Structure formats: structure tokens, C-alpha cells
Amino acid sequence: MKAPKTHNILSPEYECMSRDAIRQLQGERLRKVVKREYDNVPIYRERMDAKGIKPEDIKGVEDLRYLPFTNKTDLRDEFPFGLLAAPKSEIVRIQGSSGTTGKPIVSGYTQNDVDVWTEMVARALVAAGGTKEDIVQVCYGYGLFTGGLGAHQGATKIGAMTVPMSSGNTQRQIMMMKELGSTMLCCTPSYATYLGETIRDMGIDPKKELKLKSGCFGAEPWSEEMRGKIEELLDIDACDIYGLTEIAGPGVAFECLEKKGMHINEDHVIPEIIDPVTEEQLPYGTAGELVFTTITKEGMPMLRYRTHDICVINAEPCACGRTTVRMGRITGRTDDMMVIRGVNVFPSQIESVIVSVKGVAPFYMIIVDRVNYTDTLEIQVELDGENFSDTVSDLEKIRNEIAEKIKSVVGISAKITLVNAKSLPRSEGKAKRVIDNRKI
Amino acid sequence: MTVRQISVFIENKPGNMVKITDALGNAGVDIRAMSLADTQDFGILRLIVDDTDRAKKALKDAGCITSITDVIVAELPDVPGAMTKTVRLLAEHGINIEYIYAFISQEKNKKAYIVFRIKDTENASKVLTDEGIVLAGEGVI
Ligand SMILES: [Zn+2]
């Protein structure tokens, strides 16, 4: 089943404003948040003082570039409450991320912050076709991680029947999906693929036995080809949703059913694209690092937070009627970028190749090593268990096709190893897809 | 007449072959014929067994990727020249052999069997039987 494309804008008064009106609203809100940071957060005051900037110097969006950046390390250094811009007694929620190294990071939300975040996710669900008639199955993890609670709050806000499954226990997920007749799904794209594969393995026909129509999939980068796979496996519309705890959580940006980039909630955040090296602003339409400034957050607002995500922002109007700018898919990270034989390589490039090749499943592992002072790149790819050809030449053909495409997309040659179906690790959260054994 | 052959993908890692033979042994499947096509990194094990369905299930449960292919099994007298005649016949009719392997049955008076993988099995079966070559059916071998 697919979602109908009508009546899917929750707050047209903000989502469909004229560009001038958005810019003006952003300017007003920016002035307030800069003052709030300067008055309440020591590191922002110090950094602005060091640059010789006073809050009153920031008059509108065009002055954003004078403000200091915020990095993930700042959240770690100021952990847990050093960046609070509201009294602790006003904080009603803490969310955070486990952090891959050392200390976790956390963010504090006032009631208004929770409401704003909820509104953003609600907009995303509505854009994916959600209404109060829907049954939304949430299989993001619940806890400090913003996925579960974020989707839960958004689904509740639109009046949908919310099913807080949390992550894991795939058999039970499928049983509930079938019995309740869930119509929407919120989880990571890799888990959606895994659910779809399992459903097909169990011989369930989604067209006949399930009622799913769409889903909001996020928390990890994915590709257009993976969208195709999910849509085919589950017979749904698959929409991308983007967010990060430092800014709010999922819902900062979301795709409408046009599926041509994620609308950024510009009444709550101002996006910028910068050159990650020179830190200069880049014009929309150019790939660079995405930077967000929160303009309505009270608990822990962020000035120019560097996401390390690389994407392009598109300011063209969208066919859906929204006027907010759209961010393209995350094509890489400035920090998980691998440099192999001097070439910048993003796992997402490799994924886009693998999902475009017939005969293999969209599961892979990238293994980087260094032999005799030369970097080696091996990509293990799972064969598709259903369409396995028993001739060596067919398998060699698949391998060569992947190798050639990798060479043309990434620019370096890789050793392709075909492995058994379902032999690579599956993950219910963010999948670990790179093993770098180099000792540099 | 064709016989179902079961093919298994094998990663070139220690213990992978044992996993397969173990799975079949534990399921009580008897292997009649076997051939391995291998490259540096992977192999394809092709088997003819006494119970193809049971073998497929046992292998799937063991986490293996399998596929079933119809092959032609020619039953030949175990004498010099018997194989040449068969292969020549196919060549004369322009029939391409994708792969081939042979085995000898202990049970049936030391008959030799040749397994042919051919795209158009129907046509090849006709060519061979027209010339008096006996094809074995599933369960006979
Ligand atoms: Zn749109």
C-alpha cells in the first residue's frame, strides 16, 4: 500500500511561509537566542568576547557568520550542565547519546523544547502521510537515544495510535505489526531492511497480510537504492528523517512524499553549509558540512553546531507546497571519511554501488588494511540467498561488476569478497560497516 | 528426464566444508555424487543426493545459500569411448555444456554416470535418448 499525497502539511503557517517571512522570523529569533547564550553560557560569552562581538551586533541571519562555532567536544567538555541556558529547575528532560568514545553527551530540554521537538516529528509523520487514523509502530530504541521517544511523541501528537515496541525482538515486532495492522513504521533504515527480509523469509506477503503504508527512517545515512529495497520488501513509501540530539532529535529535517530531499524546520533552526577546512560559508547547492543554529531552544541552545555531516542544501520550491529549504542525503561525514591511498572514501559511496548490483544483498563490510606500506580495501558483500546462481562465471560477473563500479564511483580499486547470505553482523541501531586495521 | 542437483555456496574459509557435510550427515542425507568448482575466494559445491528436499532444508538451517538446478545424468557402460560418443553427440547438435562431472556407481554393476548441466535440458535429453543413451531419473542413481 502507498500513502496518499493529499493533506500532508501539519503547520502550513510555518512550513509554507514566503522566503522573506522565514528569513525575518529567523532573524528575530536569532537575536533572542544569541542574547540568551551570551547572558547564560560562559563559553559562548568568552568566545564572543574573544571575537569582539556583542549580542546587539547580530541583527539578522546575514550576521550568523560572525558567531563562534560549537563542536561535539564542547558538549563533552561542558558535560553535563555547562551549556545550559535555562535554570536547571526548568529542565524537564535529558536526552543523550552513548558517544562512541569516552564520555557521553547530553542535552537538557525545557517543556517548550520538548514541545518544539514533538512538533517537528509530528510534521515529519504528517509529511509521510500520517493522520490520526494511523497505527504507528515505533521500533527505535527508547531511552536516552532520541529515536524512540521522539517518534513516540510525534505520533501521539498527531493523534495516531502509537505502539512503543522499542528496538529488537524481530519476531514480536512482526507479530504485532500483523495483529494490530500497523500502518506506519519508525526505525533505522537497516532495521527496516532486516524486518522486510525477515517478513519475506517467513513467507508473509505485505500486500495481503500487512497494512503498512509508509515509514520514517533515520538515525543513519542511507541511499536511494536502499529506499528502493525497503519500499519493495515492505510495499510502502519510505521517507528519510534527520536529526541529532544536540539540536533536538529526529525531525530537524524530514522528507515529504515527493522524496526529493528533507525539509528543514527553518522556524526552529537555521542551516548553513560550510567548507569544513576554511570554515567559510558556502552557497546553497554546494556540498559541504552542515551547521545548525537552534533559534527556539531554551534549555541548551546551540550556536553554529558543526554536524560533520556532508550534504547539499536545495532552496528550490518543492512540489508539496512547503517553502522550507531541503537538505540532500548525507553523502559522508567529515570525520568518518576514510583516506585510502590518498583518496577520500565515504562508506555511503560504497553502499550506493552495492545496492545497485543484482544478486547481492545490501549488507557489506569495509575492511581497510595496510600491507607493505600500501592501503588495501576489501569489501565483503553478502550474496542474495534467494537468487543464487550456481555457476562460477555468474558469481565472477557479480564480483567484477561491483569492482568496476567501485573503481568508477570511489576512484580506487577494491578486492570484492562474496560471503554467505546473512553472515555479516546485523544491527538494530547504527550499523558498524567499517573495520580499519591500519596502524598508522 | 532430469535429476535435481543441489548447489551450495562456500566461502573460502576453514571449516566451511565440514559445516556442509555435517549438516547433511546429521539430516541422514546420502551423497550420491559431488563436484566442487572453486576459485581463489569461493567455491560452489554441487551435489546429487538421495533426498534433495531434506538436503535443502538441512543446508538452509545451517545458514548456507543453496540453489536447485536440473541436470541430465547419462548412464553409460564403463568402457573406453562411451563418454566421447555422448559428448560428441551434443557438440554435433550445437548444445553447449556449462559443466560436467562423472561418478561410478558401486551398486549398479559399476555403471558410469555423467552429469551434464545444459541450459536447454529438454532438447539435450531428446538428442541423447534418440541415439539410445540411457538417462537416469531421480532416485535411480
Ligand atoms: Zn516537499
Side-chain angles (χ1 to χ4, degrees):
Chain A
M1 205 194 301
K2 298 280 168 133
K5 276 195 189 179
T6 49
H7 306 299
N8 54 11
I9 302 180
L10 180 68
S11 308
E13 66 277 25
Y14 290 111
E15 298 180 75
C16 307
M17 283 175 124
S18 75
R19 291 303 307 163
D20 281 348
I22 289 180
R23 209 173 156 84
Q24 198 183 334
L25 178 71
Q26 285 179 328
E28 281 164 25
R29 291 181 168 178
L30 177 65
R31 287 198 294 276
K32 276 190 207 151
V33 79
V34 169
K35 182 154 176 19
R36 188 180 186 96
E37 297 279 40
Y38 190 84
D39 291 347
N40 295 286
V41 183
I43 69 159
Y44 282 119
R45 176 191 288 258
E46 285 160 24
R47 286 178 191 179
M48 284 172 63
D49 284 346
K51 287 177 146 237
I53 308 161
K54 294 276 170 259
E56 49 275 22
D57 296 333
I58 305 301
K59 300 201 162 60
V61 178
E62 63 283 2
D63 298 325
L64 199 55
R65 62 203 158 110
Y66 302 120
L67 290 168
F69 287 104
T70 311
N71 279 293
K72 196 170 206 132
T73 47
D74 295 324
L75 280 96
R76 236 171 255 149
D77 297 344
E78 300 296 318
F79 175 85
F81 300 130
L83 288 169
L84 282 189
K88 234 196 267 180
S89 58
E90 292 302 309
I91 302 299
V92 300
R93 177 82 65 79
I94 287 291
Q95 300 277 180
S97 76
S98 49
T100 41
T101 45
K103 269 199 214 169
I105 59 143
V106 292
S107 187
Y109 298 63
T110 63
Q111 184 57 52
N112 190 57
D113 295 341
V114 173
D115 294 344
V116 165
W117 174 29
T118 301
E119 159 85 15
M120 293 200 280
V121 186
R123 287 180 189 175
L125 285 163
V126 169
T131 70
K132 70 185 295 294
E133 307 301 327
D134 280 299
I135 302 177
V136 180
Q137 185 159 339
V138 180
C139 20
Y140 283 119
Y142 280 63
L144 273 181
F145 169 61
T146 49
L149 281 164
H152 183 99
Q153 291 161 186
T156 305
K157 175 162 171 114
I158 66 168
M161 191 189 292
T162 309
V163 191
M165 294 298 292
S166 196
S167 56
N169 204 338
T170 305
Q171 294 297 324
R172 203 167 58 121
Q173 298 274 8
I174 295 169
M175 188 268 283
M176 289 294 269
M177 187 181 291
K178 222 173 130 182
E179 298 296 324
L180 297 178
S182 303
T183 57
M184 293 182 80
L185 192 59
C186 295
C187 61
T188 61
S190 55
Y191 191 57
T193 314
Y194 180 62
L195 269 173
E197 279 186 339
T198 310
I199 282 166
R200 296 289 180 168
D201 276 356
M202 289 165 74
I204 296 172
D205 179 357
K207 266 196 174 67
K208 294 192 188 118
E209 294 167 80
L210 300 178
K211 296 206 166 75
L212 288 178
K213 68 172 183 190
S214 65
C216 297
F217 306 110
E220 63 187 19
W222 47 312
S223 56
E224 219 36 60
E225 288 84 356
M226 195 142 171
R227 186 207 305 275
K229 181 99 189 166
I230 293 170
E231 293 193 332
E232 188 194 316
L233 283 169
L234 291 168
D235 187 39
I236 58 169
D237 280 303
C239 295
D240 201 353
I241 181 167
Y242 175 88
L244 54 174
T245 313
E246 298 87 322
I247 302 305
V252 171
F254 59 85
E255 257 179 351
C256 63
L257 287 168
E258 299 294 326
K259 302 175 196 166
K260 287 181 183 138
M262 292 179 275
H263 288 280
I264 297 177
N265 280 306
E266 287 183 283
D267 49 332
H268 299 297
V269 298
I270 307 175
E272 290 173 87
I273 293 289
I274 63 160
D275 179 318
V277 179
T278 66
E279 300 187 337
E280 293 295 322
Q281 267 185 4
L282 296 172
Y284 286 169
T286 314
E289 181 178 337
L290 182 62
V291 170
F292 281 116
T293 299
T294 66
I295 49 175
T296 51
K297 219 176 170 189
E298 300 169 341
M300 206 184 274
M302 293 278 121
L303 298 184
R304 307 192 81 195
Y305 182 75
R306 295 189 58 168
T307 65
H308 291 287
D309 284 331
I310 293 172
C311 71
V312 174
I313 287 183
N314 171 11
E316 299 292 313
C318 179
C320 72
R322 287 178 186 80
T323 51
T324 46
V325 297
R326 284 168 287 163
M327 54 182 276
R329 285 196 181 279
I330 304 300
T331 54
R333 297 264 310 161
T334 55
D335 51 1
D336 82 355
M337 182 177 79
M338 300 172 281
V339 182
I340 302 173
R341 281 173 245 154
V343 177
N344 296 348
V345 179
F346 297 106
S348 52
Q349 295 173 304
I350 291 172
E351 175 172 320
S352 74
V353 166
I354 288 164
V355 291
S356 74
V357 173
K358 279 208 167 59
V360 293
F363 291 98
Y364 60 91
M365 186 65 81
I366 299 165
I367 299 160
V368 188
D369 209 338
R370 183 161 284 186
V371 179
N372 296 330
Y373 306 101
T374 305
D375 294 338
T376 60
L377 170 63
E378 179 190 355
I379 304 168
Q380 299 185 341
V381 190
E382 276 187 16
L383 274 175
D384 180 348
E386 299 307 311
N387 300 302
F388 161 59
S389 157
D390 85 323
T391 64
V392 172
S393 63
D394 282 349
L395 295 182
E396 294 282 17
K397 216 182 286 168
I398 292 175
R399 215 163 59 152
N400 292 340
E401 185 186 346
I402 299 173
E404 276 163 32
K405 284 187 172 172
I406 292 284
K407 175 95 180 129
S408 84
V409 170
V410 181
I412 57 171
S413 48
K415 175 184 190 302
I416 311 299
T417 307
L418 298 175
V419 300
N420 243 323
K422 294 173 189 165
S423 65
L424 294 176
R426 297 296 196 264
S427 141
E428 278 154 5
K430 296 194 184 197
K432 179 165 171 51
R433 299 249 162 90
V434 180
I435 298 172
D436 195 336
N437 292 323
R438 288 178 294 185
K439 291 176 186 67
I440 298 171
Chain B
M1 197 186 316
T2 57
V3 171
R4 285 184 302 161
Q5 167 194 265
I6 185 159
S7 304
V8 195
F9 176 77
I10 309 179
E11 283 175 43
N12 197 357
K13 277 191 214 154
N16 261 317
M17 196 71 166
V18 177
K19 189 172 87 177
I20 293 168
T21 48
D22 253 8
L24 293 175
N26 292 338
V29 173
D30 192 14
I31 301 173
R32 296 290 192 214
M34 160 167 138
S35 130
L36 177 69
D38 66 337
T39 71
Q40 214 176 344
D41 300 309
F42 64 84
I44 299 169
L45 184 68
R46 300 174 181 131
L47 302 164
I48 293 176
V49 297
D50 61 344
D51 188 336
T52 313
D53 297 320
R54 190 141 42 97
K56 186 176 166 71
K57 189 179 177 306
L59 289 167
K60 195 179 177 195
D61 291 346
C64 298
I65 312 179
T66 59
S67 72
I68 303 277
T69 326
D70 288 329
V71 292
I72 293 174
V73 180
E75 183 182 313
L76 304 176
D78 192 10
V79 294
M83 174 146 173
T84 314
K85 183 190 165 195
T86 319
V87 179
R88 183 178 294 141
L89 212 48
L90 293 171
E92 279 167 5
H93 285 81
I95 295 169
N96 192 37
I97 301 169
E98 291 193 17
Y99 54 79
I100 188 168
Y101 56 96
F103 63 99
I104 291 169
S105 165
Q106 294 299 333
E107 288 161 30
K108 303 195 88 192
N109 313 322
K110 287 196 78 181
K111 279 251 169 65
Y113 292 90
I114 307 180
V115 181
F116 292 98
R117 166 75 179 126
I118 287 162
K119 277 231 164 69
D120 186 353
T121 48
E122 214 170 301
N123 182 33
S125 298
K126 190 174 177 307
V127 166
L128 295 176
T129 46
D130 282 355
E131 290 292 328
I133 291 167
V134 180
L135 300 187
E138 207 161 315
V140 175
I141 47 175

